[in-house]
Amino acid sequence: MEEILKYFPNLTDLQKSRFEVLGPLYREWNEKINVISRKDIDNLYQHHVLHSLSISRFVTPTAGSMLLDIGTGGGFPGIPLAILWPECNFHLIDRIGKKIRVASSIAEALELKNVTFQHGDAGECHEKFDYVVSRGVTQLDGLIKIVRRNISSVNRNKLPNGLICLKGAGLEDETNKVQHRFIEVPLSDYFCEEYFETKALIYVQL
């Protein structure tokens, strides 16, 4: 939790309390359903929560913005972002039912009213969104093909609508295949911890 307060010192009391209980909630669920590597659960706040929140260092959506978290797994990056941006709306989708069960149960425990869930493939989601976010989901060119039809043609934010995804290092092979305008940001620009030296954010305008 200290890592969150270090970079986000102006959280409201409600946001702080929600982030504080994420740790116990994920530990409890992870004992039943493995959504985070058991070797990595002690690093939940840095490797998963703070990593998810790196998206907020790149963009701040206006109130009412719609975001789709594709391949959310146990709720990343969607749930941390939904806590941080309570006036935005999030739809989290994953093809693995037990992971959606964990994510939806955690959102319910947090009393998050701005999050909905869908068990299924990305192709089964037919809504339009300002941004699609993802974390470690498939190759970039394939991901673009999957989510293009989910991007709204109406821009309400300064940053044009598109895909924002979190990736590891060594992205040249992936980005070389991208035909759209994109921006790559090393997460070490945002956070000083060693973990982020090999992480990057990719934004693709769609």
Side-chain angles (χ1 to χ4, degrees):
M1 182 62 189
E2 292 79 9
E3 296 98 328
I4 309 304
L5 296 176
K6 175 181 177 180
Y7 292 103
F8 298 91
N10 298 317
L11 296 173
T12 66
D13 288 343
L14 178 58
Q15 288 170 324
K16 288 178 184 176
S17 66
R18 283 173 166 166
F19 279 124
E20 283 173 355
V21 300
L22 274 184
L25 282 172
Y26 274 106
R27 280 187 179 278
E28 181 181 349
W29 271 107
N30 218 50
E31 291 177 0
K32 307 171 188 175
I33 299 172
N34 189 23
V35 293
I36 296 171
S37 167
R38 289 189 169 86
K39 295 180 180 179
D40 204 33
I41 192 67
D42 290 337
N43 300 309
L44 174 78
Y45 282 104
Q46 183 181 125
H47 294 186
H48 301 276
V49 181
L50 188 59
H51 189 209
S52 298
L53 294 177
S54 63
I55 291 173
S56 71
R57 292 300 180 103
F58 182 76
V59 62
T60 303
T62 59
S65 290
M66 307 284 292
L67 294 95
L68 169 64
D69 178 2
I70 185 171
T72 187
F76 300 104
I79 287 178
L81 290 174
I83 295 173
L84 193 67
W85 294 331
E87 295 182 349
C88 296
N89 300 295
F90 292 80
H91 186 62
L92 280 56
I93 185 170
D94 200 281
R95 65 177 63 181
I96 301 177
K98 64 181 181 181
K99 292 185 177 182
I100 283 292
R101 178 188 168 200
V102 172
S104 61
S105 296
I106 286 175
E108 183 178 0
L110 296 174
E111 298 184 350
L112 291 176
K113 306 299 183 185
N114 59 333
V115 186
T116 56
F117 297 88
Q118 182 176 349
H119 172 212
D121 191 86
E124 299 175 62
C125 180
H126 306 295
E127 299 173 56
K128 299 289 186 180
F129 301 86
D130 301 288
Y131 301 111
V132 175
V133 297
S134 74
R135 184 171 178 262
V137 176
T138 198
Q139 291 283 308
L140 191 55
D141 59 334
L143 188 57
I144 291 170
K145 291 176 183 177
I146 292 170
V147 305
R148 282 183 64 183
R149 62 184 183 77
N150 294 112
I151 300 294
S152 172
S153 60
V154 179
N155 286 288
R156 75 177 91 199
N157 293 281
K158 290 183 179 179
L159 182 74
N161 296 351
L163 169 67
I164 305 172
C165 55
L166 299 174
K167 291 279 191 176
L171 289 170
E172 189 173 349
D173 287 345
E174 289 191 48
T175 55
N176 283 341
K177 300 174 184 176
V178 175
Q179 302 298 315
H180 301 268
R181 176 180 176 268
F182 74 90
I183 297 172
E184 179 178 348
V185 182
L187 294 192
S188 57
D189 285 1
Y190 302 147
F191 308 129
C192 65
E193 286 76 8
E194 182 179 355
Y195 175 77
F196 297 103
E197 292 178 2
T198 59
K199 306 298 179 184
L201 177 150
I202 300 287
Y203 159 71
V204 184
Q205 184 176 336
L206 296 173

